[in-house]
Amino acid sequence: MSTLYDKLGGQPAIEQIVDELHKRIATDSLLNPIFAGTDMVKQRNHLVAFLSQIFEGPKQYSGRPMDKTHARMNLQQQHFDAIAKLLSESMAVRGESPEDTTAALERVSNFKGAILNK
């Protein structure tokens, strides 16, 4: 059985999904302020590596743990939900199946407590 990473199309697909996600974040009034002043190239690379890893691809994420990365950002459920919605939309743009999108969102949701520091 292939991994979610493989089903999505590997590294090129994850990069395309993240690029689409970043375009959507840039125009989202709730999320855009959170990323103000962020090195988006660095953030992109970290997110691609993180998603690749949690989707059972290469173990290349070397960033801080999610709770440390998001500490003092005061992120709330609405922020998490907005990112999840934009991620889902970004995957739809690539033509990913509803099943693979659901699987991806479930894996991201496993980190919700750490991301929201709760």
Side-chain angles (χ1 to χ4, degrees), residues 16 18-28 86 90 93:
Q16 289 172 0
V18 169
D19 289 344
E20 181 65 28
L21 175 62
H22 279 179
K23 284 195 298 190
R24 291 170 182 274
I25 288 170
T27 62
D28 187 282
L86 295 182
S90 299
V93 165

Side-chain angles (χ1 to χ4, degrees), residues 7 11 15 19 29 31 36-37 40 49-50 59 63 66 71-72 75 93 99 106:
K7 287 180 185 177
Q11 187 80 15
E15 290 176 359
D19 289 344
S29 62
L31 298 173
M40 292 306 284
F50 177 73
K59 307 283 189 248
M66 290 297 107
R72 295 185 295 268
L75 297 176
V93 165
E99 296 80 18
E106 285 173 359

Side-chain angles (χ1 to χ4, degrees), residues 3 5 7 21 27-28 30 34 48 65 90 99-100 105 109-110 115:
T3 65
Y5 177 83
K7 287 180 185 177
L21 175 62
T27 62
D28 187 282
L30 176 66
I34 295 169
V48 167
S90 299
E99 296 80 18
D100 289 344
L105 293 173
S109 290
N110 288 334
I115 291 168

Side-chain angles (χ1 to χ4, degrees), residues 40-51:
M40 292 306 284
V41 171
K42 183 178 177 181
Q43 201 282 335
R44 176 194 186 269
N45 293 336
H46 278 299
L47 186 55
V48 167
F50 177 73
L51 292 179

Side-chain angles (χ1 to χ4, degrees), residues 76-107:
Q76 303 299 316
Q77 184 68 47
Q78 65 184 6
H79 300 111
F80 187 88
D81 292 345
I83 288 282
K85 178 180 180 279
L86 295 182
L87 177 58
S88 178
E89 292 171 359
S90 299
M91 293 181 73
V93 165
R94 262 201 44 85
E96 303 302 347
S97 74
E99 296 80 18
D100 289 344
T101 299
T102 297
L105 293 173
E106 285 173 359
R107 289 174 190 217

